């Protein structure tokens, strides 16, 4: 048997083996890019949800405090009570949307903006009616 020098120009592999290897070239890059995109989208949704929750809590706290302020100044008249409620809501980073005072009871609606979101909250404050004793 005579020794032959191997060819350096062409690898000694089967043609179907080369096709199988070439079909998978770059697939890990595509999967990594797809995974990174999905994770970024999920992170954006979580951040948006955090903004909404923060704005909702801010609006609710501002509504509660504004209603208490309006109820505390209800005897001075509706305009004075609602002016105090607007000042209190503004100090909390919210905006007073509606204020109504009937007797000593104040109904307030506020809105707090956080990014593109502006949730609203309602609150009512006034004296506690006496409970009948048995």
């Amino acid at each position: 048997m005579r020794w032959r020098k191997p060819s350096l120009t062409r690898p000694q592999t089967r043609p179907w083996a080369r096709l199988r290897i070439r079909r998978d070239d770059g697939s890990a890059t595509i999967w990594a890019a797809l995974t990174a995109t999905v994770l970024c989208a999920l992170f954006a949704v979580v951040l948006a949800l955090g903004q909404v929750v923060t704005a909702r809590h801010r609006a609710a706290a501002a509504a509660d405090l504004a209603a208490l302020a309006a109820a505390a100044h209800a005897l001075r008249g509706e305009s004075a009570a609602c002016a105090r409620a607007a000042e209190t809501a503004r100090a909390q980073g919210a905006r007073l949307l509606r204020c109504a005072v009937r007797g000593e009871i104040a109904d307030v609606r506020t809105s707090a903006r956080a990014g593109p979101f502006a949730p609203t909250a309602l609150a009512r404050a006034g004296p506690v009616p006496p409970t009948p004793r048995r």
Side-chain angles (χ1 to χ4, degrees), residues 6 19 32 39 44 47 52 60 64 67 87 94-97 100 102 134:
L19 290 176
L39 287 176
L47 284 178
V52 170
D64 290 340
E87 180 183 327
R95 188 171 55 119
L96 184 69
L97 298 177
R102 282 173 297 203
R134 291 186 190 195

Side-chain angles (χ1 to χ4, degrees), residues 67 69-79 81-82 99-107 125-127:
H73 293 84
L75 297 178
R76 295 182 183 173
E78 184 173 0
S79 62
C82 288
C99 177
V101 178
R102 282 173 297 203
E104 295 177 337
I105 297 175
D107 289 323

